[in-house]
Amino acid sequence: GAGVSQSPSNKVTEKGKDVELRCDPISGHTALYWYRQSLGQGLEFLIYFQGNSAPDKSGLPSDRFSAERTGGSVSTLTIQRTQQEDSAVYLCASSRRVGTDTQYFGPGTRLTVL
Amino acid sequence: AQRVTQPEKLLSVFKGAPVELKCNYSYSGSPELFWYVQYSRQRLQLLLRHISRESIKGFTADLNKGETSFHLKKPFAQEEDSAMYYCALSQGFQKLVFGTGTRLLVSP
């Protein structure tokens, strides 16, 4: 079956613009995660969604970052007023449930803020 | 605070040599530990998790709570093992905390 997909694969934007990154999880997976991988850094957790529960937003670095998950499936990560330090690869992952199952990762979106 | 440390950015070995990728962690509870691998131009994927106690592609990892380590080992490295390896810790079986990764390069 299809794995986790993300779009776009690459995004170049100018400082101060808003961007939206999309994630399509594996069908039937109720848990969805966003991570960020910056140059020279490991992967850092941003946010996760589990079913209809309130998301865990504890990893979002600032209030310029937000995420939604509509209908328990597709998720959008929005970064407002982008800064150069937002340049990174943004990875999405999904699992059948939070806590019990392997997280399957998407290919990532490489964001470059000029 | 939960933390995962991978002290080596790059590990270079010859084919057939033993490999050990180091991982140390700090965590106040009972950790769930993983190794993820990313081959060139592929997505990040799970290699193994400590609760499974299994060997994948010849790799094993043992959780040592006394030394707070979860080193990844393989007795005889192969060229196809060249990849980026990430050690990760699960907080309450939820979000993953990753190390900064070790690039393994296996030369012929």
Side-chain angles (χ1 to χ4, degrees), chain A residues 29-42:
Chain A
H29 281 194
T30 61
L32 186 148
Y33 310 77
W34 283 98
Y35 295 87
R36 175 171 75 172
Q37 184 173 24
S38 306
L39 188 64
Q41 305 287 323

Side-chain angles (χ1 to χ4, degrees), chain A residues 54-87:
Chain A
D56 178 346
K57 305 179 181 181
S58 60
L60 294 178
S62 77
D63 58 8
R64 296 186 295 105
F65 288 72
S66 62
E68 290 184 340
R69 189 177 185 195
T70 54
S73 182
V74 171
S75 177
T76 302
L77 177 68
T78 301
I79 309 173
Q80 296 178 309
R81 304 180 304 281
T82 52
Q83 303 294 312
Q84 288 182 333
E85 59 263 28
D86 299 334
S87 296

